[in-house]
Amino acid sequence: MNKSLMLALAALVPLAAADEVKLKDGTIYKDCSVEVETPESVSLLVPVAGGIKDSLTIKRELIESIRKATPDELESAKITKTYAKPEAMNAKELENAVADLDKVIKKNPQGLAHDAAVKARARVVVLLEEKKLVEGAQAAQEAKEEAEVTVRTKYDHEANKLLKRFKALAVRNPYQAMAVYDRMRDGYPGSAALADAYPDASRIASQLNRKLEVMIAAKEKSLEKEREILRKEEEKRRGDPKLTKEQRQLLMDAFQKRQTAIRERENQLTEVYRAYRKKVKERGDRWYEPTAGSLEAMRDVKLVAATDAERLKNQEPEKGAGSAALEKAWTLCDEKKFDEAMEALADVRTAQVPREYYEELTETVRVGLQEQRARERAERAEAARKAREDRDKKRQEERAAAAKAKKK
């Protein structure tokens, strides 16, 4: 995900520190957002989980105090949220993070934002050094492996690279893991790597399908609760004869403001999601992690998860037939058994191995068969020549014997 999109998403996710509302009975709502205030009540948005917010309206008479977050606290919370999981960044992203945090520290020489930036920077710098070492070692290992790759091993080598990435992402980011599995299935059908990944992919698809069902239900429930609160407030405004014209207008204004806030929030989430989805589709991926709080994103990914969970459950398990057929065909070529290699090549095609990975094998079998046929023809010609020579020699011997017998 690019930087601008990450910042846009971060702006929509509830921050780690925001407003605080304390009730007279001792209840404290921390990390909430005061959305609408009227003389009679205060409406809050309380973060629940996964970017989902719960709407709550509290009567003024029950509230002891309201403490709103300062700009310094909000900036500190933004930094904490943005760099909550720096271990998920690569070396280049960590370098950019260090540069951005240096700017924040320079802009805020003291205060909470300064402290949060210093703390985040220290963690990012340590991770950056580790990432450089790890990525350097990985690059050296990959270069060594690439140097050892031959036309025979290219198919499995490339498939295994995706398998390693799939397994690394399976726990950390199962959505990305399934996107990698898609690339493995499309680019390396029949590979041993695909067979290895298949059980985990089937499990992950089912788990994500169930998880998204829960997320969608929670989001829909949250939205319905917000609408129900608005409906009740509107009914109260309409049915209370004691309210003055001014009070009715204040309540009406608050009602409209809440409606607009809900609509704008959902529109923002949808706009960010659609921009992200466009970039994902340009990469050719079907799987992606739904953007925080977006119901449309959850539903779209849920459709993919449900489809894949059902397909993987019902299909025949992957067996790596393509890799096995390739290895067998090359071995038979080494043994000069080109007729059998041709049969193994048919198995390679049946396993739907992409043509680019067996073009040289096809040529090797073709040339081998031609040479084999030429040898067989030469052997037959030599056998025929020898048979003629033997026949002619025998006839000469017979004539010589006949001539000798006649002289006697």
Side-chain angles (χ1 to χ4, degrees):
M1 193 182 302
N2 64 24
K3 184 178 175 183
S4 61
L5 208 52
M6 288 176 65
L7 293 174
L9 287 170
L12 293 172
V13 178
L15 295 174
D19 304 333
E20 180 179 299
V21 177
K22 184 176 181 181
L23 306 187
K24 292 177 181 177
D25 65 1
T27 303
I28 299 176
Y29 293 101
K30 294 184 177 181
D31 308 335
C32 64
S33 300
V34 175
E35 192 178 31
V36 179
E37 293 188 64
T38 68
E40 291 77 22
S41 64
V42 175
S43 296
L44 312 176
L45 282 179
V46 182
V48 181
I52 299 171
K53 303 175 186 178
D54 196 7
S55 180
L56 190 64
T57 300
I58 305 171
K59 293 181 180 179
R60 279 278 185 188
E61 61 205 51
L62 302 177
I63 297 174
E64 180 178 312
S65 63
I66 298 175
R67 189 187 74 81
K68 293 192 175 182
T70 64
D72 190 34
E73 288 175 326
L74 289 172
E75 180 68 16
S76 172
K78 182 179 178 182
I79 293 167
T80 302
K81 183 67 182 179
T82 303
Y83 301 102
K85 294 181 179 180
E87 59 274 5
M89 299 179 181
N90 58 35
K92 182 64 177 177
E93 290 168 340
L94 288 169
E95 287 176 354
N96 292 336
V98 171
D100 292 340
L101 287 167
D102 284 341
K103 292 177 184 177
V104 174
I105 292 169
K106 185 176 180 180
K107 182 181 177 182
N108 302 276
Q110 59 183 2
L112 294 174
H114 172 86
D115 295 343
V118 169
K119 182 179 178 181
R121 187 185 187 282
R123 188 179 179 195
V124 167
V125 167
V126 171
L127 284 170
L128 177 58
E129 293 303 316
E130 292 176 357
K131 287 275 185 182
K132 284 182 176 179
L133 289 173
V134 171
E135 290 183 6
Q138 286 177 343
Q141 180 63 26
E142 287 174 4
K144 182 180 177 183
E145 290 175 358
E146 289 290 344
E148 295 172 354
V149 172
T150 66
V151 68
R152 299 186 178 206
T153 59
K154 184 179 179 182
Y155 182 66
D156 282 324
H157 172 74
E158 292 180 0
N160 285 330
K161 284 172 68 176
L162 287 178
L163 177 63
K164 287 179 183 178
R165 180 162 175 74
F166 170 79
K167 288 185 176 293
L169 289 168
V171 176
R172 189 170 76 243
N173 192 324
Y175 297 97
Q176 286 187 18
M178 290 305 297
V180 171
Y181 183 80
D182 270 359
R183 290 196 283 276
M184 200 185 310
R185 185 192 64 205
D186 295 340
Y188 306 93
S191 65
L194 186 65
D196 192 342
Y198 168 76
D200 286 338
S202 182
R203 173 183 55 80
I204 292 169
S206 296
Q207 288 176 346
L208 290 178
N209 186 37
R210 292 192 294 270
K211 178 181 178 181
L212 287 161
E213 281 180 0
V214 173
M215 290 171 63
I216 289 169
K219 176 68 176 180
E220 289 175 340
K221 184 178 179 181
S222 175
L223 288 173
E224 182 55 35
K225 186 175 180 180
E226 283 186 280
R227 296 187 187 105
E228 182 63 24
I229 291 170
L230 284 176
R231 283 195 293 270
K232 287 181 178 179
E233 289 180 356
E234 178 62 6
E235 289 170 4
K236 179 181 176 182
R237 181 181 68 81
R238 292 176 182 276
D240 190 350
K242 296 179 182 179
L243 293 176
T244 64
K245 184 177 179 180
E246 289 76 13
Q247 288 174 326
R248 287 179 187 276
Q249 186 59 47
L250 281 172
L251 287 172
M252 183 62 181
D253 292 343
F255 173 76
Q256 291 176 343
K257 186 176 180 181
R258 285 282 304 282
Q259 274 191 324
T260 302
I262 292 172
R263 187 165 55 251
E264 288 180 350
R265 185 191 71 216
E266 294 305 311
N267 287 343
Q268 263 189 317
L269 289 168
T270 300
E271 184 180 344
V272 170
Y273 161 61
R274 288 179 179 174
Y276 176 48
R277 182 180 62 183
K278 182 179 178 182
K279 292 183 177 294
V280 168
K281 289 193 172 182
E282 285 173 357
R283 294 200 305 264
D285 289 342
R286 297 183 311 125
W287 279 92
Y288 48 88
E289 186 169 3
T291 52
S294 171
L295 185 58
E296 183 179 348
M298 295 176 202
R299 286 173 174 164
D300 285 353
V301 181
K302 169 69 171 63
L303 180 61
V304 175
T307 301
D308 280 16
E310 186 68 18
R311 177 179 55 78
L312 291 168
K313 177 183 176 183
N314 295 329
Q315 78 173 57
E316 285 290 326
E318 298 286 351
K319 297 178 180 178
S323 293
L326 278 171
E327 183 179 2
K328 181 180 178 181
W330 278 114
T331 301
L332 289 168
C333 286
D334 291 340
E335 296 171 358
K336 307 298 183 184
K337 298 177 181 178
F338 296 105
D339 287 320
E340 294 178 45
M342 179 62 79
E343 294 176 5
L345 188 56
D347 293 336
V348 171
R349 296 191 183 99
T350 302
Q352 298 182 333
V353 173
R355 184 176 179 81
E356 63 182 287
Y357 295 105
Y358 64 85
E359 280 182 335
E360 187 161 335
L361 173 61
T362 302
E363 182 64 13
T364 301
V365 172
R366 186 187 68 79
V367 172
L369 282 172
Q370 283 182 344
E371 292 175 350
Q372 180 177 305
R373 301 289 184 264
R375 282 196 304 272
E376 289 171 352
R377 286 194 299 271
E379 288 170 0
R380 287 196 297 269
E382 179 63 21
R385 184 188 64 78
K386 188 174 180 182
R388 285 195 305 272
E389 286 179 351
D390 290 343
R391 186 173 64 248
D392 291 345
K393 184 178 179 182
K394 185 177 180 181
R395 286 175 179 173
Q396 287 176 358
E397 289 174 349
E398 288 174 350
R399 283 196 296 268
K404 187 175 181 181
K406 187 176 181 180
K407 286 180 179 180
K408 287 182 179 181

